[in-house]
Amino acid sequence: MEAHPEKQPVGEDLQRLRRAVGELRVLNELAIAVSATYDVSEIIQLIVTRVAAAVQADQVVLTLVDRNDMSPLRTLFRKADGTQSHDFHLTRNLLGCLCHHKRPLLTNDAHNDPLLKGIPLDKEIRSLICHPLMVGNRLIGCLSVVNTVAGGLFQDDDNRLVGIIASQSAQVLERARLLEDERTNLRLKADLE
């Protein structure tokens, strides 16, 4: 007699399917919106807004770093209610940690996470997802998601979706940043002439 693998309830399959369709919709909408612009600030705004809505985050922070000295270069803070905020600051320590490990961080107990030991965090931060924005083996920034709106925990699905967005965003942001640099250089050259 053959043993049949246990089937999962139809409700769970349906819930996973709905989540997957929702994730694909978010990724598709973000790709369409981002492809319509080469402005770095506009791209950052689109990414932060879409991530906040997709994972129901209280706050999303996207930080680009200077290519030469790993200092935060351009940062956008966004709270879930749409207001700008400066509650969570990505420190050089956290950037260094992400650069060293080159892997994402998901913690639902930020103040007791061994990886974050010694990194000053606001006392309000409970849950944190951080994904490095990598181009090749170079860190160009970080996408961070802080606390859920409902006060719950981030799930592996949230971490996976933020990771996919971070991976895709890194390439788009680097291309836009290079175009921005090229335009600046052309302007300087024109001014000199």
Side-chain angles (χ1 to χ4, degrees):
M1 185 171 185
E2 276 185 46
H4 294 284
E6 286 187 39
K7 291 186 176 182
Q8 294 188 351
V10 174
E12 286 180 29
D13 287 343
L14 188 58
Q15 189 175 9
R16 270 199 308 281
L17 181 61
R18 282 187 180 138
R19 174 125 182 137
V21 168
E23 289 175 359
L24 287 172
R25 182 181 42 74
V26 167
L27 293 170
N28 187 47
E29 288 172 359
L30 183 58
I32 290 167
V34 165
S35 69
T37 183
Y38 288 109
D39 181 79
V40 175
S41 297
E42 208 173 308
I43 292 170
I44 291 172
Q45 175 68 42
L46 288 165
I47 293 166
V48 165
T49 303
R50 300 294 168 106
V51 169
V55 297
Q56 296 297 297
D58 181 48
Q59 192 176 135
V60 177
V61 180
L62 195 151
T63 301
L64 294 180
V65 295
D66 187 279
R67 292 172 213 168
N68 302 318
D69 69 359
M70 285 294 293
S71 62
L73 176 68
R74 190 179 303 187
T75 302
L76 180 66
F77 304 86
R78 179 72 55 193
K79 290 186 76 69
D81 62 9
T83 60
Q84 296 240 353
S85 167
H86 298 284
D87 294 343
F88 174 69
H89 296 275
L90 192 67
T91 66
R92 278 180 167 221
N93 294 343
L94 188 50
L95 276 173
C97 177
L98 289 169
C99 188
H100 175 71
H101 293 287
K102 291 187 173 74
R103 66 173 187 213
L105 165 71
L106 164 62
T107 182
N108 283 306
D109 187 8
H111 294 282
N112 293 313
D113 192 296
L115 195 61
L116 300 175
K117 188 177 181 180
I119 297 176
L121 296 174
D122 188 279
K123 64 181 182 217
E124 300 297 317
I125 295 174
R126 298 173 309 279
S127 300
L128 182 64
I129 297 175
C130 290
H131 276 268
L133 299 175
M134 304 294 295
V135 173
N137 64 352
R138 188 170 49 89
L139 180 78
I140 67 156
C142 179
L143 180 60
S144 304
V145 182
V146 182
N147 298 340
T148 62
V149 173
L153 305 176
F154 285 121
Q155 304 299 316
D156 288 334
D157 288 339
D158 299 321
N159 188 36
R160 184 173 38 78
L161 180 58
V162 172
I164 292 168
I165 292 172
S167 175
Q168 298 300 315
S169 298
Q171 306 301 320
V172 171
L173 284 164
E174 184 66 1
R175 185 176 58 235
R177 200 155 67 163
L178 289 171
L179 282 169
E180 197 172 79
D181 289 350
E182 187 178 325
R183 280 189 221 120
T184 301
N185 289 338
L186 287 172
R187 256 183 270 136
L188 287 172
K189 186 177 176 184
D191 288 347
L192 288 172
E193 290 172 356

